[in-house]
Amino acid sequence: MKIIILVSLLFFSCLISAQDINSYITQAGQYESAMNDEQAIVKYKEALKIQPGNIFAMCKASELCSRIGARLKNNKAEQVDYFAAARTYAQTALKLEPLNSESNFVMALVIGREALNKGGKEKIMAVKDSKN
């Protein structure tokens, strides 16, 4: 009897967390549609806390970090932090699903955005990095 109760509790907790992640992703999509990238990234990060291997949330978090970082032209330190976060999300997504087109896209996006803020030699290295 105790085993049945334990199994049912585990089953329902999985259902609740699945609903939570879907609600976080839905809310993030709504914020993103409303051009509120800062709130959207918070929701994608919350979704990743529940399900760290969610490729969709990871790619969207990387894309948003790249987008936010690109807008911070006057604050280089914060821009570098956003690009570093974007790279981390993209690398993790690539490790989990190397053939996923979205994972490859966000990695290319990060490399490109980082390269725009670097000097000549660093840009060449970034191009070589993107080919790998």
Side-chain angles (χ1 to χ4, degrees):
M1 185 66 175
K2 290 180 182 180
I3 295 174
I4 293 173
I5 293 172
L6 181 62
V7 169
S8 63
L9 284 174
L10 288 173
F11 177 74
F12 288 120
S13 68
C14 290
L15 286 177
I16 291 171
S17 69
Q19 290 174 350
D20 286 345
I21 190 163
N22 289 334
S23 67
Y24 284 131
I25 289 174
T26 301
Q27 289 173 354
Q30 290 170 348
Y31 283 128
E32 196 174 355
S33 296
M35 304 294 189
N36 191 345
D37 292 343
E38 288 78 11
Q39 285 296 319
I41 190 72
V42 169
K43 292 298 178 183
Y44 284 124
K45 286 179 180 179
E46 289 175 5
L48 287 170
K49 286 179 185 174
I50 295 171
Q51 192 178 26
N54 188 299
I55 295 295
F56 178 79
M58 202 171 304
C59 290
K60 293 303 276 183
S62 177
E63 182 182 343
L64 287 172
C65 285
S66 292
R67 194 183 310 165
I68 294 167
R71 287 195 301 252
L72 297 172
K73 294 180 181 178
N74 295 333
N75 189 345
K76 291 292 183 188
E78 195 173 0
Q79 186 180 48
V80 168
D81 290 342
Y82 272 104
F83 286 155
R87 180 177 281 273
T88 301
Y89 288 125
Q91 286 174 334
T92 306
L94 272 175
K95 284 179 186 172
L96 292 173
E97 289 191 30
L99 299 178
N100 184 300
S101 60
E102 194 68 25
S103 300
N104 285 284
F105 166 73
V106 293
M107 191 64 195
L109 182 65
V110 171
I111 291 170
R113 293 258 168 97
E114 286 178 332
L116 290 174
N117 295 322
K118 296 180 179 179
K121 288 183 180 180
E122 293 166 326
K123 285 182 182 180
I124 292 170
M125 294 301 290
V127 169
K128 288 181 181 178
D129 188 29
S130 68
K131 289 181 180 179
N132 296 331

